[in-house]
Amino acid sequence: MARVPAGSSHPTRQELIRATRAWLNQDAVRNFTLEDVLAETFTSKGAFYHHFADLNELIEVALSDIFKDIIDADISSLRSLLENADSPENFHFALRTSADITFSRTRVHVRRQRLRIMAALADETSHLREGIMSNTRHVVEALADLIRRAQERELVALDVNAQATAQLLLGMIYGHVFIELGLPDTDAVESASAYVRLLQGIIIAPSA
């Protein structure tokens, strides 16, 4: 029997992904087995292999979905902040609010999830790489679009390269994940403050 194509909305496939996401949200990647997932979803092995080659592929698909949801939530939050900013002062406040949320201790689990995804990329045979590359392009384009929209409203300097700035912002956020892992006592408030000041210097300060 032919395998169901990747991206299918078949109920069994979606239930397997849902259950795996639930395991990933509470355990390390290797702390559950295929049998755990099958029991949770009342799925036979034959039905499972109709959708996935093995547990690793299922995990990678679930991680990719989690990564996309994180991205979409962050972009939605930034878009809302931008749309509600009717002056440079309010835009600065929006940036600070976004940074406080991004570096908040309450979002440690989100950052750890990102780190887990990055660790999965270390496997050169990973099916996840293509999905992560696609999602990364998506977030860079979305950030660049937000910067361009801010430029149209004269909230960001017009000579700022939106694409390059979006790449820098994403790099700063990802970098903080590793800093937090190596330096768990990092002050989240100070990190947010430094992030905003640097960001303001890049995109808001007038040209020399």
Side-chain angles (χ1 to χ4, degrees):
M1 182 180 295
R3 282 183 54 192
V4 173
S8 167
S9 59
H10 191 285
T12 299
R13 180 183 177 87
Q14 294 306 311
E15 179 63 11
L16 288 165
I17 294 172
R18 181 207 61 75
T20 303
R21 288 184 57 155
W23 282 101
L24 291 171
N25 283 330
Q26 62 184 335
D27 290 319
V29 173
R30 299 303 179 187
N31 280 3
F32 62 94
T33 66
L34 175 58
E35 284 66 29
D36 292 325
V37 176
L38 297 179
E40 175 72 18
T41 59
F42 301 100
T43 303
S44 68
K45 280 193 175 182
F48 174 85
Y49 289 117
H50 186 51
H51 295 275
F52 299 98
D54 52 32
L55 179 60
N56 284 340
E57 183 182 358
L58 173 57
I59 288 173
E60 290 166 356
V61 169
L63 284 172
S64 185
D65 272 12
I66 290 170
F67 188 72
K68 185 177 185 303
D69 285 352
I70 291 171
I71 288 173
D72 287 344
D74 286 348
I75 293 299
S76 178
S77 175
L78 285 170
R79 183 177 294 111
S80 177
L81 290 171
L82 173 61
E83 291 174 349
N84 292 324
D86 55 8
S87 68
E89 291 74 21
N90 284 343
F91 184 55
H92 296 179
F93 177 76
L95 286 175
R96 180 57 199 244
T97 300
S98 176
D100 286 341
I101 293 171
T102 297
F103 294 105
S104 170
R105 289 291 183 187
T106 63
R107 283 173 58 91
V108 167
H109 69 286
V110 175
R111 294 193 287 272
R112 293 293 170 84
Q113 196 67 270
R114 286 174 172 165
L115 187 61
R116 186 179 298 169
I117 291 168
M118 293 174 188
L121 287 174
D123 178 6
E124 294 184 359
T125 65
S126 173
H127 301 95
L128 183 61
R129 181 174 288 100
E130 184 176 345
I132 296 301
M133 288 175 63
S134 175
N135 287 335
T136 298
R137 286 192 292 269
H138 166 64
V139 71
V140 168
E141 289 299 332
L143 285 172
D145 180 62
L146 289 176
I147 293 170
R148 294 186 191 100
R149 290 169 63 182
Q151 288 174 317
E152 292 172 357
R153 297 173 58 187
E154 299 183 348
L155 298 173
V156 169
L158 296 179
D159 62 347
V160 166
N161 184 302
Q163 188 81 9
T165 303
Q167 293 172 0
L168 175 63
L169 296 181
L170 189 61
M172 291 167 61
I173 293 171
Y174 283 0
H176 183 74
V177 176
F178 290 96
I179 290 173
E180 185 176 56
L181 184 65
L183 302 171
D185 296 329
T186 298
D187 190 315
V189 173
E190 289 301 321
S191 293
S193 178
Y195 173 82
V196 171
R197 290 183 65 183
L198 179 59
L199 183 57
Q200 289 174 337
I202 295 171
I203 70 174
I204 297 175
S207 303

